[in-house]
């Protein structure tokens, strides 16, 4: 093995968060899973940690991330935070089933949090058992790689660990654990905890830590705390813009599920829309539709407002309001930029916003499978070309023809030839998207002890724009039974 590689035993830990006072967290070791075994391993994430994927022993992964042994240098903690859940403040939150094992610094100086989800009870578990089940663990493991493949900021995962242990969820279900890897596990709710508990000195200490570690470029700003908040708001606007551009529904957009880095965080009952339905609610527990697809941009702004309130001891109210006022414009600009790229538009023209809105209206009226539509549009050559391949997506051919006439005219303002445009469009329009039925198939097989599909989907979703002839069926329309899949907070 090359000297440039680390092993699991020689990872370079530097656990900066544990240097805070201990009321910031709870020190506790993982509870071992029964008969822990490796289900899947992500070599790309291993490389981020300086690990050689070819040299890692599966039994070591199961031992360390099934909770039997601690990685040398790790210092497991459950982080304390609070947050607004479905609009109501909850002071009793914290890492209830996951532990921050430690922070690994790689040879490039990048710092990566290792977070074990499903590690057992902590003082923040409330009435829970601290476990994650195989169903939800597979969903998080796969979607984090799917989002990365789409270029959407997200946490990722090193491995998925299974167990013969069972807990009660939808009946008795097998336990599992995911080793989540990301630069940051600090949530909006961390700031809310110190603000609402009136620990303002600790609030400023946390903010200083975040500036030093995540936003060092704002140190010299007139007010570094305001400058950091501006960047958090901007990153978050970009994030939700990409969700809307690809039809991703988070499902539980509570403030404790919002990362200060603008990453997709804490996957629960998520969905990629099979049909473009703005009112779609992914989470069956969300009876009021608070987190419906069309609501996400406004809910994110609501969450940013909650974060802004937590910044009041450090930043003037009007300055924070100015940032929030700019959010809606930024969101629309970011969303339209991504949708313009999906349409193959490389220049910006005055009528682009109307062209995009007209298309989204068409999608909504006819419940179009819009990710498949965009992929098919990649092969549309423009004015004079046959449109038959696009007609399959909606019954009202006249309405589609009207929009395509506008699109043809707009393409006339582009200098790129069709082959160049097609190549660019395919780079942002996936052939494969993680639909619920795909995850459900993998879950059903995994419950029978067959993990082949989990690993096949991992590779497929890592490169969703490529042709995978042996996986072609996942590029087709979803089966009829897909619509009956029910997701809840336990998903």
């Amino acid at each position: 093995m090359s000297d440039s590689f680390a092993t699991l035993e020689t990872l370079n830990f530097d656990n900066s968060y544990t240097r805070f006072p201990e009321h910031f967290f709870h020190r506790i070791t993982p509870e071992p899973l029964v008969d822990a075994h490796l289900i899947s391993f992500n070599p790309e994430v291993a490389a981020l940690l300086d690990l050689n994927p070819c040299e890692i022993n599966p039994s070591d992964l199961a031992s360390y991330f099934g909770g039997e042994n601690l990685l040398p240098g790790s210092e497991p903690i459950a982080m304390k935070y609070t947050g607004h859940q479905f609009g109501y403040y909850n002071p009793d939150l914290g890492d209830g089933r996951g532990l921050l094992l430690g922070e690994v610094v790689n040879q490039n100086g990048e710092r990566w949090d290792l977070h074990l989800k499903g590690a057992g009870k902590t003082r923040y578990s409330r009435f829970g058992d601290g476990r994650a089940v195989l169903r939800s663990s597979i969903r998080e493991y796969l979607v984090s790689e799917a989002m990365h493949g789409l270029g959407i900021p997200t946490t990722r995962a090193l491995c998925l660990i299974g167990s013969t242990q069972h807990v009660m969820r939808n009946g008795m279900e097998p336990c599992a654990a995911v080793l989540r890897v990301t630069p940051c596990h600090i949530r909006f709710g961390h700031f809310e905890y110190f603000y609402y508990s009136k620990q303002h000195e600790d609030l400023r200490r946390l903010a200083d830590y975040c500036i030093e570690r995540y936003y060092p470029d704002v140190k010299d700003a007139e007010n570094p705390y305001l400058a950091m908040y501006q960047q958090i708001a901007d990153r978050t606007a970009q994030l939700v813009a990409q969700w809307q551009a690809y039809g991703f529904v988070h499902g539980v957009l509570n403030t404790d599920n919002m990362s200060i880095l603008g990453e997709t965080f804490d996957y629960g009952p998520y969905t990629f829309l099979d049909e473009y339905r703005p009112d779609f609610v992914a989470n069956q527990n969300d009876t009021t539709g608070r987190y419906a697809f069309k609501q996400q941009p406004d809910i994110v702004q609501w969450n940013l407002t909650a974060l802004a309130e937590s910044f009041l001891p450090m930043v003037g109210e009007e300055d924070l309001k100015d940032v929030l006022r700019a959010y809606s414009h930024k969101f629309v600009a970011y969303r339209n930029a991504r949708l313009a790229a999906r349409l193959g538009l490389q220049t910006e023209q005055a009528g682009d916003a109307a062209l995009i809105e007209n298309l989204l209206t068409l999608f909504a009226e006819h419940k179009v499978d819009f990710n498949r539509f965009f992929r098919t549009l990649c092969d549309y050559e423009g004015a004079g070309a046959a449109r038959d391949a696009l007609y399959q997506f909606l019954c009202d051919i006249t309405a589609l023809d009207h929009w395509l006439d506008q699109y043809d005219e707009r393409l006339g303002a582009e200098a790129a030839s069709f082959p160049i445009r097609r190549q660019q469009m395919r780079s942002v329009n996936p052939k494969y998207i993680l639909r619920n039925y795909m995850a459900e198939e993998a879950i059903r097989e995994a419950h029978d002890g067959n993990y082949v599909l989990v690993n096949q989907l991992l590779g497929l979703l890592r490169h969703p724009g490529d042709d995978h002839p042996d996986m072609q069926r996942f590029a087709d329309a979803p089966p009829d039974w897909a619509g009956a899949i029910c997701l809840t907070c336990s998903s």
Side-chain angles (χ1 to χ4, degrees):
M1 185 177 67
S2 168
D3 291 339
S4 63
F5 288 118
T7 67
L8 289 169
E9 292 75 21
T10 63
L11 288 170
N12 181 27
F13 279 98
D14 178 33
N15 306 316
S16 62
Y17 201 86
T18 62
R19 296 172 198 142
F20 279 123
E22 297 221 356
H23 62 276
F24 279 60
F25 53 81
H26 171 211
R27 293 184 185 270
I28 187 170
T29 57
E31 296 178 19
L33 289 168
V34 177
D35 297 326
H37 54 271
L38 180 67
I39 292 175
S40 185
F41 167 70
N42 191 335
E44 285 196 1
V45 176
L48 299 176
L49 305 175
D50 296 334
L51 295 169
N52 184 346
C54 299
E55 296 288 338
I56 293 180
N57 188 324
S59 63
D60 289 340
L61 290 168
S63 174
Y64 287 124
F65 304 124
E68 181 181 355
N69 292 306
L70 286 180
L71 289 167
S74 65
E75 299 178 79
I77 58 171
M79 304 172 86
K80 173 60 185 172
Y81 49 83
T82 60
H84 283 81
Q85 298 185 309
F86 291 89
Y88 297 95
Y89 182 69
N90 186 342
D92 297 323
L93 302 178
D95 283 333
R97 60 173 174 169
L99 298 179
L100 179 62
L101 299 182
E103 306 159 31
V104 172
V105 182
N106 68 14
Q107 294 178 58
N108 295 325
E110 298 166 334
R111 186 179 289 266
W112 297 97
D113 284 2
L114 304 189
H115 187 276
L116 186 61
K117 192 168 183 178
K121 285 186 178 181
T122 76
R123 67 171 57 156
Y124 313 122
S125 298
R126 292 176 286 169
F127 301 107
D129 53 37
R131 291 302 188 192
V133 295
L134 182 61
R135 167 175 48 91
S136 60
S137 299
I138 287 174
R139 286 175 54 82
E140 174 153 354
Y141 184 72
L142 290 178
V143 75
S144 61
E145 205 63 13
M147 297 291 268
H148 179 73
L150 293 172
I152 300 176
T154 179
T155 58
R156 298 179 76 184
L158 176 67
C159 60
L160 172 63
I161 305 297
S163 170
T164 58
Q165 185 175 345
H166 285 66
V167 291
M168 178 61 72
R169 294 292 187 273
N170 295 339
M172 295 300 291
E173 296 192 54
C175 295
V178 174
L179 195 281
R180 189 162 62 192
V181 178
T182 180
C184 176
H185 275 85
I186 297 175
R187 312 154 186 260
F188 287 15
H190 280 81
F191 288 89
E192 290 181 283
Y193 165 55
F194 292 115
Y195 173 73
Y196 281 100
S197 61
K198 302 188 186 308
Q199 300 178 70
H200 292 174
E201 182 179 339
D202 286 327
L203 175 68
R204 191 177 295 266
R205 182 180 297 175
L206 176 66
D208 289 340
Y209 172 85
C210 292
I211 289 171
E212 182 68 30
R213 178 167 168 183
Y214 306 115
Y215 294 99
D217 57 314
V218 308
K219 286 181 181 179
D220 296 329
E222 182 177 350
N223 184 330
Y225 306 114
L226 172 61
M228 178 172 68
Y229 179 79
Q230 289 173 320
Q231 290 199 24
I232 293 172
D234 188 72
R235 289 189 184 194
T236 305
Q238 291 185 60
L239 177 66
V240 69
Q242 293 186 69
W243 290 350
Q244 301 307 109
Y246 285 97
F248 176 77
V249 191
H250 187 283
V252 190
L253 274 177
N254 297 327
T255 59
D256 59 298
N257 293 335
M258 300 288 294
S259 163
I260 65 161
L261 289 191
E263 290 186 330
T264 319
F265 197 62
D266 267 4
Y267 294 96
Y270 67 82
T271 297
F272 281 99
L273 296 176
D274 288 336
E275 300 174 337
Y276 193 84
R277 293 166 52 196
D279 291 329
F280 185 83
V281 178
N283 182 1
Q284 296 303 307
N285 295 131
D286 183 9
T287 56
T288 65
R290 176 181 176 86
Y291 298 139
F293 174 65
K294 70 177 182 181
Q295 295 291 105
Q296 291 186 137
D298 288 343
I299 287 297
V300 164
Q301 187 176 35
W302 193 98
N303 291 345
L304 283 167
T305 303
L307 180 63
E309 184 176 2
S310 298
F311 272 60
L312 285 173
M314 303 175 292
V315 182
E317 183 175 356
E318 285 305 312
D319 289 333
L320 291 165
K321 285 182 176 179
D322 286 343
V323 178
L324 289 166
R325 290 187 190 103
Y327 164 85
S328 295
H329 174 76
K330 285 190 172 185
F331 158 73
V332 172
Y334 287 134
R335 186 205 62 174
N336 285 358
R338 179 50 65 101
L339 288 173
R342 297 196 75 178
L343 290 171
L345 309 181
Q346 299 183 36
T347 61
E348 187 175 344
Q349 303 290 334
D352 290 351
L355 182 71
I356 288 169
E357 289 301 330
N358 290 341
L359 181 61
L360 295 179
T361 298
L362 199 64
F363 285 162
E365 289 176 350
H366 298 277
K367 297 182 174 60
V368 172
D369 186 339
F370 83 126
N371 281 309
R372 289 180 62 234
F373 178 93
F374 273 119
R375 182 68 180 194
T376 304
L377 190 67
C378 297
D379 297 322
Y380 175 66
E381 296 192 41
R387 298 174 173 180
D388 298 18
L390 295 167
Y391 289 158
Q392 66 177 299
F393 293 102
L394 66 166
C395 298
D396 190 344
I397 294 175
T398 301
L400 178 57
D401 276 336
H402 178 67
W403 183 85
L404 285 171
D405 289 342
Q406 298 174 338
Y407 181 56
D408 287 342
E409 182 178 354
R410 175 61 183 83
L411 289 178
E414 293 291 321
S417 64
F418 166 65
I420 293 175
R421 184 176 74 249
R422 177 171 57 186
Q423 182 179 15
Q424 180 270 322
M425 289 178 69
R426 286 187 172 182
S427 72
V428 293
N429 288 308
K431 183 174 182 178
Y432 302 93
I433 201 109
L434 180 59
R435 299 176 186 268
N436 274 330
Y437 85 90
M438 296 162 63
E440 183 65 21
E441 285 190 16
I443 290 165
R444 291 176 182 179
E445 293 188 11
H447 279 177
D448 292 332
N450 182 353
Y451 307 134
V452 172
L453 187 54
V454 170
N455 287 287
Q456 288 178 333
L457 290 177
L458 186 74
L460 176 75
L461 298 167
R462 185 179 292 129
H463 303 289
D466 295 350
D467 289 320
H468 299 264
D470 56 335
M471 306 287 276
Q472 174 60 38
R473 71 183 181 96
F474 293 123
D476 298 334
D480 292 340
W481 61 266
I485 296 173
C486 179
L487 302 175
T488 65
C489 286
S490 71
S491 301

